[in-house]
Amino acid sequence: MYSRFWVGLVCLAGILTLSPVVWAFSDSLDVLSTYPWGETDADRTTPHVSFGYPFEPGKAVSVNTLSIPGASAQQFRVLGRHPDGSISWVLADFILSGNMTPGQVISGTYAITNTGSGNTSGTICSQSGGTILVNTGSPSGITAKIRQNNFNVLDEVSLNDGSGNQLVVANNNGGVFFIDEGGVEHTSRSTNAVEFKILDNGAVRCTVMVEGMIGTSNVGYRTMLSFYNDRTD
């Protein structure tokens, strides 16, 4: 003999919704220093770290509480969510508080937690219609201009070191191009970009996405331009 019991939830007013249960955490991060060919520690005075981080269901709900203690600046963007609404993946960027040497590993210094205040205030890019302006700060940063019409990748670039040096002049002949089998050059400068927007914009990094067609051809392009705080690259 056995008895069968039914257990149910009754909501007397409105619709019952279940919210994810969030608990405090601090996950340690290991930071490995890698350098492009020919670059040395002297070129990386403000090292930046960018990474994707997964969360199990219910672990984190909002980027406004995420933090990386010890970082000079930080920013976060949600890449995906679990069915319960909690974050499944986040894109995190932060600036180390000190320099690193090639191949160096930092363990135990940094961690990602949910007991902070989210993104560091400040942005690198601003958009007004078909123009995006970039300012990565001083003294080691740049000021740049990107235009949607007759897209030439970077329309203007100047150093912020007080020298007034202009690396890229306005209305230059840059752009996305290819030469077809008949020897004809097709370039993005002869058309306007179709998609033109800022994807990420924080105190650490700004990423701009531009999409369009290369001239009158049937070939399209997508460019992703990233700019980092107080850097020229």
Side-chain angles (χ1 to χ4, degrees):
M1 294 289 296
Y2 65 90
S3 298
R4 177 177 295 170
F5 296 91
W6 294 93
V7 179
L9 294 174
V10 177
C11 181
L12 299 179
I15 300 174
L16 177 67
T17 59
L18 300 178
S19 300
V21 178
V22 180
W23 59 92
F25 65 85
S26 179
D27 296 346
S28 180
L29 302 173
D30 290 339
V31 181
L32 169 64
S33 174
T34 59
Y35 287 77
W37 180 261
E39 191 169 280
T40 66
D41 183 54
D43 301 314
R44 290 288 175 183
T45 54
T46 53
H48 297 76
V49 179
S50 181
F51 64 99
Y53 197 81
F55 293 115
E56 59 229 55
K59 191 169 183 177
V61 174
S62 171
V63 296
N64 293 331
T65 61
L66 296 181
S67 180
I68 301 177
S72 298
Q74 61 190 19
Q75 70 182 69
F76 306 93
R77 177 165 66 91
V78 175
L79 299 178
R81 291 188 179 273
H82 293 291
D84 66 355
S86 61
I87 299 172
S88 59
W89 277 92
V90 70
L91 177 62
D93 293 84
F94 71 98
I95 302 176
L96 301 182
S97 57
N99 295 345
M100 295 185 70
T101 57
Q104 179 185 358
V105 178
I106 298 178
S107 298
T109 301
Y110 300 98
I112 184 168
T113 76
N114 68 336
T115 56
S117 56
N119 296 337
T120 302
S121 62
T123 56
I124 293 174
C125 296
S126 62
Q127 182 171 359
S128 177
T131 300
I132 292 177
L133 299 179
V134 180
N135 190 331
T136 62
S138 301
S140 302
I142 60 169
T143 299
K145 175 184 174 184
I146 307 169
R147 70 187 190 193
Q148 181 175 11
N149 293 343
N150 306 116
F151 178 64
N152 59 350
V153 185
L154 295 173
D155 188 48
E156 293 182 62
V157 180
S158 299
L159 293 177
N160 287 347
D161 60 358
S163 66
N165 288 339
Q166 191 170 22
L167 304 180
V168 179
V169 297
N171 301 314
N172 63 81
N173 291 327
V176 182
F177 71 95
F178 78 97
I179 299 176
D180 63 24
E181 295 179 348
V184 178
E185 179 180 291
H186 302 266
T187 174
S188 60
R189 292 194 312 275
S190 63
T191 56
N192 300 335
V194 176
E195 192 78 15
F196 186 76
K197 63 183 180 181
I198 299 173
L199 288 183
D200 291 288
N201 193 17
V204 180
R205 175 180 56 84
C206 170
T207 296
V208 175
M209 184 183 78
V210 186
E211 291 183 350
M213 303 302 294
I214 304 179
T216 57
S217 70
N218 292 321
V219 179
Y221 68 87
R222 171 186 288 180
T223 63
M224 307 287 282
L225 305 171
S226 292
F227 307 89
Y228 293 85
N229 176 279
D230 203 24
R231 294 204 53 81
T232 58
D233 56 353

